[in-house]
Amino acid sequence: MAIPLSYNVRSVVARWTAALVAVLGIAGTVGVFVAMLSMARGFQATLAASGSPRNAIVRRAGAAAELGSVVDLDQVKVIGDALQVARTAEGAPLISGEVVVIAPFPLKSTGTDANVQVRGVSPSVLQVRPQVKIVEGRFFHSGLTELVVGSNAEKIYGGLGLGVPVAFGGQTWKVVGIFDAGGSAFDSELWCDARVLNQTYKRPENIFQSATVRLTSSAAFTDFKDALTSDPRLTVQVDRESAYYAKQSQTVTTLIRVLGFLVALVMGIGAVFGALNTMYSAVAARSREIATLRALGFGSASVVTSFVAESLFIALAGGVLGCLVVLPINGYTTGTMNWQTFSHLAFAFKVTPGLLGAGMAFALLMGLVGGLLPALRAARLPVASALREL
Amino acid sequence: MVRVDGSDVDGSLIRVRNLDKTYRRGSEEIHVLQGLNLDVGAGEFVAFMGPSGSGKTTLLNLLGGLDTPSAGSIRVGEDTVTAMSGRRLTGWRARHVGFVFQMYNLIPVLTAFQNVELPLLLTNLSRAERRRHVETALSLMGLSDRMKHYPRQLSGGQEQRVAIARAIVADPTFLLCDEPTGDLDRKSADEILGLISALVSEHGKTVLMVTHDPRAAEWANVILHLEKGALVDSPQGNAGS
């Protein structure tokens, strides 16, 4: 049987000031690690939630994002005629020809301007994207300079309250409603009539940048895509809306993750040195105890296991503390630039059980690395001389 | 039966032959033990005396398998201790040797019960059996009411009694006591020596004790002196008996 774990736990408690350095080092590292990953996860989730697998977004072939795409009205009509497009009770296709512009609005937090995506949509957009609900006020009337504002946009940008006049693009607009898009990227947007937006920015009225359609079913996507891409009247690319937004999240998500891992790695190295220092001190302070255990018949493997377990116990405490500290940021809304649209995107940190698990695993890894060398030293102590140490 | 002349005799529990231990300090070689012979029968209480640096503790460490000799052999029963690998030696110590140290060497964060239980964790005894053994050992030392006390809550004499309980709880073949009363007042020292003596006389234990205190040595059946790296009989001892 191994050296009892209570020996290590009590030894840590008895020398808690020495252990505290390692615990705090590991806690800080785990906190930053989980916070960075929860930021990436939140950003990714926000964009992933924006797309529905039952919707398809059609852009000009080769256009990576809506900003670089053109779809004219004739093409929109051809797209709407596709058999796989769902229809209203009256037989009208559920399609929204859309245009996007970037307009500056001040952030409430800093007062500095951020690029906000203003999306011109078709009147049927709420049927195309049924997850979007008007939660205050009403939807805009076609042909009027009216805006509906995403719930996050209303929270983080100044001057977008219900009924407030808003000036951009040389027009004065009126906020008539607030919509909730379920925490997706649309929540950071301002929506208005696509035709009015085109007029405001002096664009041709019959030009859009994308067309989003509601399909009869999720499974109809392949047929829809095949139908459009084989139609000689169209030169378009078709993506499932969910895939399109998921792809948009890749650049920033990867950037945040890489940064997160790098910061965590650097901090982790520091934390490992903290753990090493604590454990080497523990071994030095307890040489006689270790020698006594060896004299009693506990083997070197038992000693290694015991001290690694002690280091893991310290790491566990650090990991739990780090996770607890970072837990309150779950749901905290912040924003960053979406490099695909060059617009500001609000998103909430998402601290998931998986991330907490990853944080704990990282903590234990630091504990293992920080405990192994001191444990090996403990096992190699010369028993006879260590027995007589004071 | 205790002999130091190296002549083969039957019935030795511990048989040491031509034991050498040399330390190197820089370019200088220090011969601590040279050609030491010893035979100890079961149930003996032997005291080793000698000036500081004479090799008393070195001899005890070699007998307990905590150190390896430069030359010579040590046999305990049928086991040739000096031929064992480190791993086997560790297992052998757990089964055959009970240690009592001058500074008690109790684990400060464990209770008296848990300290005494430590050697039993290396056996296949069940938890209930371990409890029974620990309670018996502590009761033998008169510490039944101190089982849940931590070492810091005990007097020096009580700590050493816990250490003796730990040394005997797994019923080892022999006990090695290194200055067991060196850190105690006279009264406590006499109590401890009385307990060790009782282990020999009442329970048939074999005890080898290092001490520099002649009064402590008087409790032993045999007193041996370490001189020039070898053991010699004490004039007042019973070596060879």
Side-chain angles (χ1 to χ4, degrees):
Chain A
M1 196 181 282
I3 296 167
L5 199 59
S6 58
Y7 164 63
N8 303 98
V9 174
R10 288 180 197 174
S11 294
V12 170
V13 173
R15 298 177 176 90
W16 65 270
T17 46
L20 194 63
V21 177
V23 169
L24 291 179
I26 290 170
T29 307
V30 168
V32 169
F33 178 71
V34 175
M36 295 291 273
L37 291 189
S38 69
M39 187 190 286
R41 183 64 59 90
F43 187 85
Q44 188 181 36
T46 297
L47 281 167
S50 306
S52 161
R54 219 186 121 176
N55 285 3
I57 181 166
V58 184
R59 304 181 315 285
R60 189 186 67 186
E66 288 171 283
L67 278 176
S69 169
V70 174
V71 180
D72 66 32
L73 185 60
D74 291 338
Q75 289 177 316
V76 170
K77 284 178 180 168
V78 172
I79 294 164
D81 286 341
L83 293 172
Q84 297 80 14
V85 176
R87 292 172 191 281
T88 63
E90 294 77 32
L94 293 182
I95 182 166
S96 175
E98 302 187 347
V99 291
V100 287
V101 299
I102 304 294
F105 286 93
L107 285 166
K108 280 182 182 172
S109 56
T110 61
T112 53
D113 280 346
N115 287 338
V116 178
Q117 186 150 288
V118 182
R119 180 178 295 275
V121 296
S122 301
S124 61
V125 69
L126 293 184
Q127 290 165 286
V128 175
R129 297 194 182 99
Q131 78 273 22
V132 178
K133 309 281 184 203
I134 297 294
V135 291
E136 268 188 85
R138 61 171 173 79
F139 197 61
F140 64 79
H141 289 313
S142 293
L144 299 181
T145 51
E146 291 182 345
L147 290 169
V148 287
V149 176
S151 53
N152 276 338
E154 192 260 337
K155 275 183 217 156
I156 62 175
Y157 309 121
L160 291 179
L162 195 60
V164 174
V166 179
F168 70 89
Q171 282 273 25
T172 301
W173 303 71
K174 185 179 174 189
V175 178
V176 296
I178 309 289
F179 67 84
D180 177 36
S184 68
F186 298 129
D187 275 324
S188 298
E189 294 182 349
L190 278 56
W191 284 5
C192 61
D193 187 326
R195 289 174 189 276
V196 176
L197 192 62
N198 272 339
Q199 286 166 7
T200 301
Y201 280 84
K202 302 196 173 22
R203 293 176 175 178
E205 270 187 52
N206 60 346
I207 294 293
F208 301 92
Q209 286 169 292
S210 67
T212 299
V213 300
R214 185 81 173 157
L215 298 170
T216 50
S217 71
S218 183
F221 173 77
T222 309
D223 289 343
F224 175 72
K225 183 177 180 179
D226 290 346
L228 263 57
T229 50
S230 61
D231 192 323
R233 294 169 294 176
L234 301 170
T235 315
V236 293
Q237 68 183 72
V238 185
D239 288 303
R240 214 182 270 278
E241 194 185 31
S242 51
Y244 171 75
Y245 281 102
K247 198 174 170 188
Q248 273 201 359
S249 72
Q250 276 178 356
T251 306
V252 172
T253 303
T254 305
L255 182 72
I256 297 173
R257 281 202 180 125
V258 168
L259 275 176
F261 278 113
L262 280 175
V263 171
L265 181 69
V266 172
M267 289 186 72
I269 290 169
V272 164
F273 275 106
L276 275 170
N277 186 46
T278 299
M279 292 309 298
Y280 272 128
S281 303
V283 171
R286 281 146 59 191
S287 298
R288 195 155 60 113
E289 290 173 32
I290 297 163
T292 303
L293 290 167
R294 299 278 284 119
L296 293 180
F298 288 96
S300 49
S302 290
V303 172
V304 170
T305 307
S306 175
F307 274 82
V308 166
E310 185 166 322
S311 182
L312 290 177
F313 172 69
I314 289 171
L316 192 71
V320 169
L321 182 64
C323 287
L324 286 176
V325 165
V326 87
L327 216 47
I329 69 162
N330 186 37
Y332 174 75
T333 303
T334 185
T336 189
M337 175 77 87
N338 180 354
W339 292 97
Q340 299 298 313
T341 62
F342 300 105
S343 60
H344 192 258
L345 177 70
F347 64 94
F349 283 79
K350 268 196 177 308
V351 183
T352 63
L355 290 183
L356 293 175
M360 290 306 300
F362 188 36
L364 293 176
L365 179 66
M366 286 185 277
L368 181 66
V369 175
L372 198 54
L373 289 177
L376 290 172
R377 174 180 283 189
R380 288 175 184 156
L381 277 176
V383 178
S385 56
L387 275 171
R388 295 173 75 84
E389 280 186 16
L390 292 175
Chain B
M1 180 276 296
V2 177
R3 298 182 73 96
V4 296
D5 56 10
S7 58
D8 285 339
V9 287
D10 292 334
S12 293
L13 173 68
I14 298 168
R15 177 173 296 182
V16 180
R17 289 292 178 269
N18 302 315
L19 198 67
D20 283 3
K21 181 66 184 177
T22 305
Y23 292 109
R24 185 174 286 278
R25 188 180 295 158
S27 58
E28 185 187 6
E29 278 195 343
I30 301 165
H31 299 280
V32 181
L33 301 179
Q34 288 179 292
L36 185 143
N37 294 303
L38 175 67
D39 288 88
V40 179
E44 294 288 352
F45 183 0
V46 183
F48 298 115
M49 294 194 73
S52 293
S54 61
K56 304 186 295 292
T57 298
T58 300
L59 174 60
L60 220 60
N61 287 338
L62 293 169
L63 289 171
L66 297 175
D67 204 352
T68 49
S70 306
S73 67
I74 299 171
R75 281 186 64 183
V76 176
E78 298 302 314
D79 299 319
T80 305
V81 179
T82 40
M84 288 181 185
S85 66
R87 179 175 289 197
R88 272 194 69 199
L89 209 51
T90 302
W92 176 82
R93 274 201 306 271
R95 286 190 304 278
H96 295 288
V97 191
F99 288 99
V100 179
F101 305 101
Q102 179 179 355
M103 301 301 292
Y104 330 129
N105 290 33
L106 297 179
I107 306 295
V109 296
L110 300 182
T111 63
F113 181 95
Q114 290 166 327
N115 266 288
V116 177
E117 191 187 22
L118 281 173
L120 298 180
L121 297 176
L122 296 161
T123 67
N124 293 322
L125 294 176
S126 68
R127 180 189 284 256
E129 288 170 321
R130 292 203 304 268
R131 169 164 284 279
R132 204 169 56 247
H133 279 71
V134 173
E135 285 172 352
T136 304
L138 281 168
S139 145
L140 208 59
M141 295 296 120
L143 290 171
S144 295
D145 58 340
R146 295 285 188 275
M147 284 196 280
K148 291 182 180 172
H149 286 58
Y150 288 91
R152 65 177 180 278
Q153 298 169 315
L154 302 172
S155 68
Q158 287 172 329
E159 281 194 77
Q160 194 59 295
R161 281 193 275 158
V162 173
I164 295 170
R166 182 180 65 187
I168 62 169
V169 72
D171 193 23
T173 307
F174 62 107
L175 297 184
L176 295 175
C177 307
D178 189 3
E179 303 274 12
T181 58
D183 206 46
L184 298 175
D185 58 52
R186 188 73 261 161
K187 183 170 174 289
S188 300
D190 284 344
E191 282 174 11
I192 293 300
L193 290 163
L195 285 168
I196 293 172
S197 183
L199 289 173
V200 177
S201 59
E202 293 170 25
H203 300 276
K205 293 288 171 199
T206 306
V207 177
L208 291 88
M209 177 177 75
V210 160
T211 183
H212 65 275
D213 178 4
R215 288 179 62 179
E218 282 171 13
W219 288 82
N221 308 130
V222 178
I223 301 171
L224 299 175
H225 285 261
L226 261 165
E227 287 177 13
K228 296 177 183 172
L231 286 167
V232 293
D233 296 348
S234 165
Q236 65 270 48
N238 298 322
S241 65

